[in-house]
Amino acid sequence: VQDHFFLCLGQQYDIEIDDNNRPWFSWGIGARSARRIPKQISNMQILPGSIGPEVGEVLEWTVDVHVAGHDMTTWKRLTTPDNLGYKFSSLKPTAFAAYHVMNNQLNNDTRSVIPTYHGNTIWGNVFCQAFCVGLASYHFETDEDGNHEAYISYENPRTSEWPNLDNGMSIPSRVPFRNIQWNPERRVFKGDICWLEDQGTTWNGESKWSYEMQFNRTFLFIVSGTCSLSDRDDH
């Protein structure tokens, strides 16, 4: 179990969080005999920033419709990732949230790989969806000369399931933002993803994405924004 999903008998199950901070997942195509798709719901609240059950603790999942022989599933934690020294913060599961790192728990080699968090600026932060770095996460960096750089990361292995570029090539691991504009007073970032210009091809028929994002005061999450796709309406 990692990155909020798990694999069982060749099928992927995505773990979601309900309004009471309880994990759940649906059975999907695996429950053909049920009148509706069953949902497996845990008995434990897992708050943002926590790692869930302690070592040896049991997490019980009950199903919301009766399926013979599958009324309850039990997971038992065998190890803990305390040595990673990370935590997450988000107001809701679907938001792009900043990835926190407790730097004092990391060695120098790890710090160069795991993102950091800064509460007074966008630069140096990473904003993730589904709590996954590299799953189209937004990275904002400053180089040695003080120049700002930004890119979208597709480095998570799950992106291999996404469509290739329109020329058949795989999605690049990192795609840079061009034409960057940053308004610190309004906390608004603007930038373009230039597929045709940078990659020599389009993706899903789109040649350019133009972003505008506004961040909250502590740079924990994206408050609002738009992405204008070439030949499509804003969303």
Side-chain angles (χ1 to χ4, degrees):
V1 181
Q2 62 179 8
D3 292 339
H4 285 234
F5 80 99
F6 66 95
L7 298 174
C8 182
L9 300 179
Q11 182 171 341
Q12 177 175 316
Y13 297 82
D14 293 311
I15 301 174
E16 307 287 346
I17 303 293
D18 67 16
D19 293 337
N20 295 315
N21 292 305
R22 296 181 306 171
W24 65 271
F25 62 90
S26 60
W27 285 20
I29 62 174
R32 294 185 175 88
S33 61
R35 293 185 178 180
R36 64 184 179 88
I37 297 175
K39 180 188 293 185
Q40 205 87 20
I41 307 171
S42 73
N43 65 330
M44 179 180 292
Q45 282 188 317
I46 301 181
L47 300 176
S50 66
I51 62 170
E54 300 293 336
V55 173
E57 196 170 3
V58 170
L59 185 67
E60 295 180 346
W61 303 78
T62 55
V63 69
D64 64 344
V65 295
H66 177 70
V67 180
H70 297 281
D71 292 330
M72 179 178 292
T73 300
T74 301
W75 291 1
K76 183 177 182 179
R77 164 154 270 169
L78 301 180
T79 60
T80 178
D82 283 346
N83 60 308
L84 294 180
Y86 61 78
K87 62 180 181 178
F88 302 100
S89 293
S90 177
L91 289 187
K92 57 182 181 179
T94 56
F96 274 87
Y99 190 112
H100 282 239
V101 176
M102 296 180 289
N103 284 322
N104 59 341
Q105 296 186 13
L106 305 175
N107 58 41
N108 290 332
D109 292 337
T110 309
R111 289 179 190 175
S112 64
V113 177
I114 299 181
T116 57
Y117 166 71
H118 305 273
N120 59 351
T121 180
I122 188 180
W123 305 109
N125 288 348
V126 175
F127 293 82
C128 312
Q129 58 179 330
F131 304 109
C132 296
V133 175
L135 196 67
S137 52
Y138 303 147
H139 296 244
F140 301 91
E141 299 181 351
T142 303
D143 64 19
E144 296 179 354
D145 297 324
N147 300 313
H148 296 321
E149 302 174 332
Y151 62 89
I152 300 178
S153 171
Y154 297 99
E155 297 170 90
N156 191 289
R158 295 172 65 181
T159 61
S160 63
E161 302 174 6
W162 296 0
N164 289 335
L165 300 180
D166 291 342
N167 64 357
M169 299 295 292
S170 300
I171 308 171
S173 58
R174 297 181 179 184
V175 181
F177 278 101
R178 304 297 186 189
N179 309 314
I180 289 175
Q181 300 178 47
W182 171 240
N183 186 322
E185 288 75 23
R186 297 182 57 226
R187 303 182 305 281
V188 171
F189 171 88
K190 295 181 180 181
D192 298 329
I193 297 295
C194 302
W195 291 107
L196 186 59
E197 180 180 344
D198 286 338
Q199 311 302 326
T201 187
T202 55
W203 191 25
N204 295 322
E206 301 300 334
S207 59
K208 185 173 72 171
W209 300 346
S210 296
Y211 280 85
E212 179 173 336
M213 315 176 203
Q214 183 173 33
F215 300 82
N216 81 311
R217 294 183 181 277
T218 54
F219 299 94
L220 280 174
F221 56 90
I222 297 173
V223 177
S224 63
T226 60
C227 177
S228 302
L229 310 181
S230 57
D231 303 323
R232 296 191 191 179
D233 296 332
D234 295 353
H235 74 285

